Amino acid sequence: EVSTLWGELAWQLLGKDGYALVEGADKSGTSPGAALAELFVACSPCLVLIDEWVAYARQLYGADGRLAGGTFDAHGSFAQALTEAARATPGALLVVSLPASVNPDAEGETGSGSSSIELGGPGGAEALRRLRAVMGRIESSWRPASVEEGFEIVRRRLFQPLDPARLADRDATARAFADYYRSQAAEFPNECRAPDYERRLRAAYPVHPELFDRLYRDWSSLERFQRTRGVLRLMAQVVGSLWNSQDRSPLVLPGSVPLDDAAVATELARNLDDSWKAVMDADVDGPGSVPDQLDALFQNLGRYRAAHKVARTVFLGSAPSVHSPHRGVVAARVRLGCAAPGEAVATYADALARLTDKAGYLYLEGERYWYGLTQSVSRVARERAERLMAGDPAELDQRICAAVRGQRDRGDLAGVHVAPPSSADVDDDDRVRLVVLSPGDAYVPKSDDSPALSASRDILEHRGTSQRHYRNMVVLLAVDQRRLDDLRQGAAEALAWQWVVDEAPALDLGGQQEAQAAKKAEEADQTLVRRLGEAYTWALVPAQPDPTGPVAFDPMRVEGAGDLAARTARRLVEKGHLNPVYAPSVLRKVVLEGPLSALWERGHISVDELWDALARYPYLPRLKDREVLRRSVETGPAGFAWEAEGFALADGYDEASRRYLGLVVGPVSSASVIGSTLLVRPELAVAQAEADRAAAAASPGVGADAGAVSDPIAAVGVRPVAGATGTEPARPKRFHGSVVLRSERLSLEFGRVVQEVVQRLADAGAGVEVTVEVSATSREGFEEPAVRTVTENARTLRFRDLGFEDE
């Protein structure tokens, strides 16, 4: 009957003869001392293997000799005698395993720096301390298997030897991955560029070295995870699951670890706190988890199952170090754990960004990502946004309207009204205004009955309880009903993140989460602004094809970059609904000879009367402002074809004499066009000018009353030259003059010269010769193509005395 460890040792080595050497010490529970040296000499060469010695010795701690195995102190003496005997005996080798898993958190409790779970309390800690003290004097330590050795251990345990005929396939796979990493070096860790990395890929095949690195370097730091045995247990489950699911991946990557397999998830979870189960189910690989939703929603992610791979990689790289100051995994390692040759790396970057926004337990600090055990600030914000979406939309609509009011660029519009509470809040004047309807007054395309149309009709027809006068000065902008939910979702997220920022002290956020919340709040505001442009896409333009018919709305799609008002103005101009310039010929043909022909038939219309009509009636064109009309009017009397396309101007009309006062045909100064200026029908202006000319010819030397008669000749600056007193003035027989024209307005100014000077000289029966002199100077000098082209064109046009000069 054996009682002690040394009695069992002697029996195993020499049977009865060996036990006889230590029988007394075995029965008394005391150390055998020198008897061990005799035992080793008798059985040398011998090998003694002792495993889990601490687990055995800790049972004797505090037993005070009540156990047959001897006292704790006697066991310590046996350990010393055993090591001395082994060292003194040639051919005797003693191998002892002692716990070496370092756990800094437990060091203060046990004083050993070893796993508290493996030691099993103070008895185990004291046993380890004594055994280390004894062994340390003569030990030759063997370190645990390295990561590189782990490759071979796992392969030999889990895979059959690779057929030599398939070595070329293994090498081709390793080379393809190495080339992939080198071709996109900026996307992966620097170590992947080294030639040695291809060797590591071959050595670890068919497992990716990154997976081994995470298991041996990160997971082996957990007190529950046994370094080699734990890796083997986990990889056995992983390989089995992938084999059964017929996975076709070229290597087993961290992103390939099937955490949705119960056996694999259980093997990992047994090394972690129980609270990790909720994290894995919600954000990593559970049914209906965030990666499930993202891969189903976005086709580019679902093609590779990118969200799942990214979540698995971040989990494997961060879960063991969640309590470490250097927790998490950088984005480059996430991509390394997911991407394979032939796949777009950007897809995984997109998946990581979307996970960061949606996952409740995923944290980001700088470039490091990790899963935590408490809800992240993203989760808090998302839940807040969900409550806002489920509540009254009024708060969301207010946030949307505030974002619209924050836009300052109005383009060609005089004013912008955002979600006015009533029609009384929209000014009724002669300036073009954009009314941005409330999100609740959305427009339903191809429908005659939508909230936007009802609100628009009320604003167009009324100002409060009164009728609106200037209906042609109002344009409305509405949300597309199909984009309303997205817009309100953007507002909810912006409000939620701002709430998190405001409530940071009450929420007890750390500095990193406060910074993340501030950044997310800014991004949410930018997203809301972008969604404004995507939702407010319908301009409702008042239209009245028939002047006697009802006013309707012409819906117009508004898209493009920029603030809502500015891009709406651009679109109105493009479609001809808003005119920043207006040609006098169009003014005459479209307006004066069109809907206002009844007023035009009487012979004239004032600028004020014309502008009032343009501002009031939707069947007339919509000018940007009164200045557009003034510029059009001042160019009306100019041009070759003013009689057919333009009009004359006058300061007033004398009913008694039926004459126009200050009648002008030709260029006028802008200062002369005021509200009372009259636009005169050309035939009336020509008739009056001819009558004045005939009167002047019949009464030579008698000037007409400047206040009553407008002399067309005087209007262009040509006046008779006075002769001697009492005699007929001498008539000039030759005219000459030169004028410098602006090149940017050459056509207009030259046309005026021809009309007002050349044509009048020809009408007077003169033979007219016009010489065009062109002078051009270039500081840089003219290029050869320009010299050649201009010279050829000038010769074709029969220029005389032409040429280019150096100075």
Side-chain angles (χ1 to χ4, degrees):
E1 181 179 346
V2 177
S3 300
T4 62
L5 187 59
W6 42 93
E8 178 66 22
L9 173 64
W11 177 264
Q12 289 192 25
L13 286 173
L14 288 178
K16 289 183 179 181
D17 294 339
Y19 181 74
L21 295 174
V22 299
E23 183 176 4
D26 179 65
K27 291 182 177 180
S28 63
T30 58
S31 173
L36 290 176
E38 295 181 39
L39 178 65
F40 281 172
V41 170
C43 64
S44 178
C46 63
L47 171 65
V48 178
L49 303 174
I50 304 180
D51 193 17
E52 303 289 354
W53 197 348
V54 169
Y56 178 82
R58 71 188 179 201
Q59 299 176 74
L60 305 176
Y61 184 74
D64 298 329
R66 294 191 301 273
L67 300 178
T71 64
F72 187 77
D73 291 337
H75 213 75
S77 298
F78 162 68
Q80 185 167 351
L82 179 65
T83 57
E84 293 291 346
R87 182 174 62 172
T89 305
L93 178 63
L94 172 64
V95 180
V96 178
S97 70
L98 298 177
S101 301
V102 178
N103 183 358
D105 293 338
E107 186 169 353
E109 301 176 8
T110 66
S112 64
S114 301
S115 169
S116 59
I117 293 178
E118 195 168 356
L119 294 179
E126 181 62 19
L128 177 61
R129 188 186 66 79
R130 292 195 182 189
L131 288 172
R132 278 183 172 172
V134 171
M135 300 295 170
R137 296 181 296 108
I138 61 172
E139 70 180 359
S140 175
S141 298
W142 288 6
R143 63 178 176 84
S146 67
V147 176
E148 302 288 335
E149 292 169 337
F151 298 169
E152 194 64 23
I153 293 172
V154 170
R155 178 164 49 234
R156 291 187 181 187
R157 291 288 190 94
L158 301 183
F159 298 99
Q160 295 178 354
L162 192 62
D163 187 340
R166 305 303 298 274
L167 291 176
D169 295 336
R170 177 203 65 182
D171 295 345
T173 300
R175 189 178 309 110
F177 272 86
D179 291 343
Y180 179 58
Y181 298 146
R182 283 192 290 266
S183 67
Q184 304 189 62
E187 303 292 339
F188 300 102
N190 292 335
E191 67 201 58
C192 298
R193 310 175 195 172
D196 185 61
Y197 202 75
E198 185 174 342
R199 181 197 60 77
R200 293 194 73 206
L201 287 164
R202 288 195 301 270
Y205 185 86
V207 180
H208 196 284
E210 179 66 11
L211 179 54
F212 278 127
D213 286 344
R214 299 283 69 78
L215 295 177
Y216 276 97
R217 294 175 183 173
D218 298 336
W219 285 82
S220 63
S221 65
L222 297 175
E223 59 184 15
R224 301 182 188 179
F225 192 87
Q226 294 178 314
R227 185 179 177 92
T228 302
R229 190 178 305 170
V231 173
L232 275 172
R233 286 170 57 95
L234 175 63
M235 290 306 300
Q237 298 293 347
V238 170
V239 171
S241 176
L242 295 177
W243 179 268
N244 290 331
S245 64
Q246 297 183 348
D247 187 276
R248 307 293 295 177
S249 302
L251 291 178
V252 181
L253 291 143
S256 305
V257 176
L259 297 179
D260 55 345
D261 184 285
V264 176
T266 300
E267 186 60 36
L268 279 172
R270 66 193 295 270
N271 301 290
L272 301 170
D273 296 336
D274 293 340
S275 51
W276 277 103
K277 182 68 169 62
V279 179
M280 295 172 68
D281 287 345
D283 283 354
V284 183
D285 223 344
S289 61
V290 173
D292 263 354
Q293 299 171 22
L294 292 176
D295 280 341
L297 185 60
F298 300 100
Q299 184 177 3
N300 65 320
L301 305 186
R303 179 173 51 181
Y304 301 145
R305 297 201 77 207
H308 281 87
K309 291 181 180 180
V310 166
R312 294 166 178 176
T313 303
V314 173
F315 175 77
L316 288 172
S318 65
S321 61
V322 67
H323 300 298
S324 168
H326 304 291
R327 58 194 169 189
V329 56
V330 297
R333 292 214 168 269
V334 176
R335 294 189 288 268
L336 179 63
C338 300
E343 296 179 343
V345 181
T347 302
Y348 294 102
D350 184 24
L352 184 58
R354 295 187 185 278
L355 270 176
T356 305
D357 289 338
K358 297 297 183 183
Y361 296 91
L362 182 59
Y363 289 77
L364 168 62
E365 182 175 6
E367 275 289 309
R368 304 188 73 85
Y369 297 81
W370 74 90
Y371 281 105
L373 293 173
T374 58
Q375 287 188 0
S376 67
V377 67
S378 298
R379 182 66 172 267
V380 174
R382 185 166 66 251
E383 291 181 350
R384 177 76 177 180
E386 290 172 353
R387 288 196 295 271
L388 288 169
M389 284 295 291
D392 188 350
E395 184 176 1
L396 302 179
D397 291 351
Q398 290 176 4
R399 179 64 182 86
I400 293 169
C401 294
V404 178
R405 292 188 184 98
Q407 298 182 348
R408 300 301 180 189
D409 189 358
R410 297 184 303 188
D412 288 328
L413 300 170
V416 177
H417 301 269
V418 180
S422 72
S423 61
D425 295 281
V426 180
D427 294 341
D428 186 17
D429 57 23
D430 62 347
R431 298 189 302 163
V432 179
R433 300 179 176 278
L434 177 69
V435 179
V436 181
L437 297 176
S438 169
D441 294 326
Y443 178 71
V444 181
K446 299 181 181 179
S447 172
D448 294 332
D449 184 20
S450 68
L453 291 176
S454 299
S456 298
R457 290 190 189 99
D458 179 55
I459 292 174
L460 185 67
E461 298 296 336
H462 306 96
R463 189 192 181 202
T465 57
S466 305
Q467 292 293 316
R468 182 171 297 278
H469 297 295
Y470 296 105
R471 294 183 297 169
N472 203 32
M473 294 287 103
V474 177
V475 178
L476 304 106
L477 184 65
V479 169
D480 190 324
Q481 177 69 41
R482 297 167 296 188
R483 304 307 300 267
L484 180 57
D485 288 344
D486 286 344
L487 179 59
R488 283 176 171 166
Q489 181 66 45
E493 292 173 0
L495 285 171
W497 279 112
Q498 188 58 51
W499 178 83
V500 171
V501 171
D502 296 339
E503 298 295 323
L507 295 173
D508 194 23
L509 301 181
Q512 179 270 329
Q513 292 199 70
E514 283 192 34
Q516 181 183 359
K519 181 180 179 181
K520 289 292 186 181
E522 182 179 352
E523 292 176 354
D525 287 342
Q526 295 171 354
T527 299
L528 176 58
V529 171
R530 185 177 67 252
R531 292 188 181 180
L532 284 176
E534 297 170 351
Y536 274 100
T537 56
W538 288 105
L540 303 177
V541 184
Q544 192 176 10
D546 183 358
T548 61
V551 178
F553 290 95
D554 182 11
M556 180 183 68
R557 291 279 297 182
V558 178
E559 296 175 327
D563 293 353
L564 295 181
R567 72 174 194 170
T568 301
R570 287 197 302 270
R571 189 64 171 160
L572 289 170
V573 172
E574 290 173 4
K575 291 295 186 178
H577 294 300
L578 181 63
N579 297 277
V581 294
Y582 208 66
S585 59
V586 180
L587 179 63
R588 174 175 166 179
K589 295 295 183 183
V590 173
V591 178
L592 299 178
E593 295 179 354
L596 299 186
S597 59
L599 296 175
W600 187 238
E601 287 296 329
R602 71 186 185 188
H604 61 267
I605 184 172
S606 71
V607 172
D608 282 343
E609 190 176 10
L610 179 57
W611 175 247
D612 188 68
L614 290 169
R616 283 175 178 268
Y617 304 119
Y619 56 78
L620 293 176
R622 184 177 296 102
L623 305 190
K624 173 188 171 183
D625 51 31
R626 191 184 184 100
E627 178 64 17
V628 175
L629 177 61
R630 187 192 63 75
R631 290 197 300 266
S632 179
V633 169
E634 73 179 39
T635 57
F640 291 113
W642 75 272
E643 293 184 45
E645 300 178 355
F647 38 79
L649 298 181
D651 294 334
Y653 182 67
D654 185 358
E655 292 284 353
S657 63
R658 300 175 69 97
R659 292 177 57 82
Y660 288 100
L661 308 179
L663 185 65
V664 176
V665 175
V668 298
S669 67
S670 59
S672 63
V673 178
I674 59 177
S676 59
T677 298
L678 302 180
L679 285 71
V680 181
R681 290 178 57 179
E683 60 269 27
L684 298 181
V686 170
Q688 179 171 319
E690 291 178 349
D692 289 347
R693 192 178 295 113
S699 304
V702 180
D705 183 3
V709 179
S710 176
D711 187 353
I713 297 178
V716 296
V718 181
R719 295 185 178 276
V721 178
T725 303
T727 64
E728 183 178 349
R731 294 185 179 183
K733 296 182 178 181
R734 182 176 179 273
F735 168 81
H736 64 89
S738 65
V739 62
V740 177
L741 307 180
R742 288 173 290 181
S743 60
E744 65 272 15
R745 301 185 62 185
L746 187 60
S747 297
L748 176 61
E749 294 190 354
F750 190 75
R752 290 181 176 178
V753 169
V754 172
Q755 179 181 354
E756 307 303 339
V757 178
V758 176
Q759 186 61 46
R760 292 188 182 276
L761 291 171
D763 291 343
V768 181
E769 179 180 309
V770 178
T771 300
V772 177
E773 180 178 330
V774 180
S775 177
T777 303
S778 171
R779 293 181 180 179
E780 306 296 331
F782 294 99
E783 298 286 344
E784 192 278 331
V787 172
R788 183 176 63 253
T789 301
V790 171
T791 301
E792 292 176 356
N793 291 344
R795 287 173 179 169
T796 302
L797 295 173
R798 293 181 291 182
F799 270 55
R800 295 178 294 180
D801 191 20
L802 63 93
F804 286 86
E805 301 173 348
D806 294 336
E807 295 294 338

